[in-house]
Structure formats: C-alpha cells, structure tokens
Amino acid sequence: MYHVNSTSLYVSPHRVPSHECSWDMGAKITLDSATMMNKGLEVIEAHYLFGASYDDIDVVIHPQSIVHSMVETMDTSCLAQLGWADMRLPLVYSVSWPHRLRMPYKPLDLAEIGSLTFTKPDHEKYPCIRLAYDAGRVGGTMTAVLNAANEAANEMFREDVGLGFLDIPKLIEGAMEAHKADLKIDDVQLDDILSCDAWAREYVAKASAEVASGGKILVV
C-alpha cells in the first residue's frame, strides 16, 4: 500500500495509497495503481486494441471502480461497461466470448452503490500517465522501454532499497530519454523488444543503486 504527497520524496512501501484499489490485484499492480502507471499502460493497450488515436483516449479517476470502460459514439452518447470490482467477470467473458454465461454472482445494485463519481487525474502528481502517452505517441521500441523500466522501478521500490516514491517516474523518464539514441520505429522485431526490455531493466538497476547511495537521477 502506498501514499504520496507533494512534500515527501521517500515513502515507505507499507503506507496506504492516496487512492486505494477497490480490489486486491497483488503488490505490483497495487503500486502501479498508486503511480497510475496502470492507467497509462491501459491507454497504450486501448490504442492498439481498438485503433484509437491517443488524442481520443482519456483517463478519469473513478473511486467506486464500477464503470470499467466507456466508449463515446459519434453522436456524443456513451456506452459503458459496469460491474462489481471482481476479476472473475472479465475472466469468464474472455472464455465465453461472444456469449454471456449465467453466473452465481451478486447482481449489480446501483441503488446500493448510491453514486458514481469521476475526476480528471492530476498529471503533475501522477507523471506516469504523461510518460505513457509520450511513449505511445513515439511508438516503436519506446513502449517496451517504458514497460520494462516501470517493472524494474516498481520492483526496486517494493524491495525497499532506498528509492523514493517519486523516483519511480524519474527512473522511467531517464530510461526513455537515454533510449532515444537507439530508438527503433520501423520493422520492430521480437528480438528488438527483448533487447530493449533487458537494457531498460539494467538502466534502472544502475540508476537505483546510484540513488540509494545518495546520487540523483539525471533527466536531460
């Protein structure tokens, strides 16, 4: 569990997040939810799954975790998918698609929920969202570097080696900046992705060691 505020550079990996998850998705995803990198990665997924422009994909904070996606049509009406915060639902549908199976789950009760609220994310407080959009727009091997750097920084933070919560996006951004010299946009192969993945993890490991010993992360 994690919490961050504007005055604290070091946050223990045992603090409570400022926007708690409504379901238990494990330590890695819980931290991704606190940094909001999970939303950034979903933006990239939506781009590739649905062919949507990054300019047409928005992120909103929805504390109740009932509305899982919304699609705006050309006439500005929206189609939304609602359900309890229960990972069994998408898993069952992934197996039964395009059909729906009758399941012995509690029906969704909107009256019990009472209200659904939505707010725009603070991009200054959660820079990982911007980094994901940036990597997605660049394309090529940059998204592989973003993902690998995030996974490595996430793991290093959870191992409590001395990283601050706000070091996570700095490490990711540092890796992205350093990768620009070797960026590959066209004809990206699996070997390119694996190579960039390994390089980004090594970059974060070295940069984390420097931070833990009192150094700083330099982003040019």
Side-chain angles (χ1 to χ4, degrees):
M1 296 293 190
Y2 313 92
H3 170 79
V4 64
N5 58 53
S6 59
T7 61
S8 177
L9 292 180
Y10 178 76
V11 182
S12 165
H14 308 291
R15 299 279 297 279
V16 178
S18 54
H19 54 284
E20 291 191 38
C21 298
S22 301
W23 40 16
D24 182 4
M25 295 179 286
K28 192 270 182 182
I29 303 301
T30 298
L31 180 52
D32 276 349
S33 297
T35 64
M36 296 209 71
M37 179 56 88
N38 66 324
K39 296 296 107 179
L41 294 173
E42 288 172 5
V43 166
I44 297 173
E45 291 170 4
H47 168 76
Y48 284 104
L49 286 173
F50 305 111
S53 165
Y54 286 103
D55 294 333
D56 294 329
I57 304 172
D58 294 323
V59 173
V60 295
I61 297 175
H62 172 47
Q64 293 80 22
S65 297
I66 295 297
V67 178
H68 302 291
S69 64
M70 283 194 288
V71 177
E72 182 181 3
T73 63
M74 290 187 292
D75 63 2
T76 72
S77 63
C78 291
L79 305 176
Q81 193 273 319
L82 285 70
W84 294 117
D86 188 337
M87 284 302 296
R88 293 178 300 176
L89 294 175
L91 290 172
V92 167
Y93 188 51
S94 69
V95 174
S96 66
W97 184 89
H99 307 290
R100 295 282 185 176
L101 301 180
R102 184 177 298 277
M103 302 302 294
Y105 303 152
K106 176 183 176 182
L108 182 65
D109 188 338
L110 293 177
E112 177 183 334
I113 298 166
S115 63
L116 302 175
T117 58
F118 306 88
T119 59
K120 291 184 177 181
D122 184 338
H123 288 264
E124 293 296 322
K125 186 175 182 181
Y126 302 108
C128 284
I129 299 176
R130 172 184 57 81
L131 294 175
Y133 272 98
D134 289 347
R137 288 190 170 104
V138 170
T141 53
M142 189 62 80
T143 50
V145 168
L146 169 89
N147 180 69
N150 174 66
E151 288 187 357
N154 182 306
E155 182 178 5
M156 296 296 289
F157 178 83
R158 287 184 285 115
E159 290 179 354
D160 207 7
V161 298
L163 289 183
F165 185 93
L166 301 182
D167 289 328
I168 296 173
K170 291 179 182 178
L171 286 165
I172 298 167
E173 186 170 13
M176 289 171 60
E177 287 293 328
H179 179 60
K180 286 181 178 179
D182 300 311
L183 175 66
K184 186 175 182 180
I185 297 294
D186 300 317
D187 193 31
V188 176
Q189 303 296 318
L190 178 58
D191 286 343
D192 298 318
I193 295 172
L194 295 176
S195 176
C196 290
D197 182 284
W199 173 87
R201 293 174 192 276
E202 183 179 356
Y203 174 92
V204 170
K206 290 180 179 178
S208 297
E210 292 178 7
V211 172
S213 61
K216 295 182 178 181
I217 303 169
L218 298 179
V219 178
V220 181

